[in-house]
Amino acid sequence: MFTYIWPLLLIILSNILYQICAKEIPEEMNTYASMSVTYAVATIFSLLAFFVSSKGSNIFKAFSHTNWATVVLGLVITGLEVGFIFAYKNGWKVSTLATVSNSFLALALIFVGLVGYNEPVNWSKILGVVICLVGLYFINKK
């Protein structure tokens, strides 16, 4: 059970810290300079984690399994982070931005799951979308 839950806990903690860090990037700092530092740190950490978790593995062999998804993911993550940073610089509140974006994301992913992966859409998913939309109304109500 723990192996199922710990990744979710890591995602939640990382997302909390991510939103705080994205909000706290100085407005006068160039977003892309900030991203360069961010990715330099991520690269170093990822390389260290590879060597610690893959004792004796060949990193070049690991890299040989790269496909289009790995490369596009780098672009997509950059888009996500730049989007959040610019949204915060333009006045979004940390208490609403992730909720609003994730609600619309959930809506879009139901469609992606249906069309791209043949995942069924049932009444509980539809009800979940309605609840998200009602929640968005209350979150954005002044």
Side-chain angles (χ1 to χ4, degrees):
M1 179 68 135
F2 182 72
T3 58
Y4 189 74
I5 291 180
W6 82 260
L8 177 63
L9 297 175
L10 179 61
I11 290 167
I12 292 166
L13 176 63
S14 294
N15 261 302
I16 291 168
L17 295 172
Y18 172 88
Q19 297 300 330
I20 292 168
C21 292
K23 177 83 171 157
E24 294 298 321
I25 290 174
E27 196 166 319
E28 60 276 358
M29 183 175 195
N30 180 286
T31 300
Y32 300 101
S34 170
M35 293 297 295
S36 297
V37 172
T38 299
Y39 283 111
V41 171
T43 299
I44 292 167
F45 177 78
S46 294
L47 287 170
L48 289 173
F50 172 83
F51 289 115
V52 167
S53 67
S54 304
K55 292 182 173 67
S57 292
N58 182 329
I59 194 164
F60 297 109
K61 184 175 181 188
F63 285 154
S64 74
H65 298 291
T66 299
N67 70 355
W68 68 269
T70 303
V71 175
V72 172
L73 184 60
L75 297 171
V76 170
I77 289 172
T78 302
L80 277 170
E81 294 187 21
V82 167
F84 273 109
I85 292 167
F86 277 121
Y88 284 130
K89 286 184 176 186
N90 286 300
W92 275 86
K93 292 182 169 61
V94 74
S95 61
T96 58
L97 178 59
T99 304
V100 170
S101 64
N102 284 327
S103 294
F104 284 109
L105 174 65
L107 237 168
L109 287 177
I110 288 173
F111 179 75
V112 169
L114 175 67
V115 173
Y117 298 97
N118 296 318
E119 294 175 356
V121 175
N122 54 33
W123 285 108
S124 65
K125 286 184 182 177
I126 293 169
L127 179 61
V129 168
V130 170
I131 291 169
C132 282
L133 294 174
V134 170
L136 285 177
Y137 169 79
F138 286 109
I139 284 173
N140 290 300
K141 190 175 177 180
K142 297 194 184 217

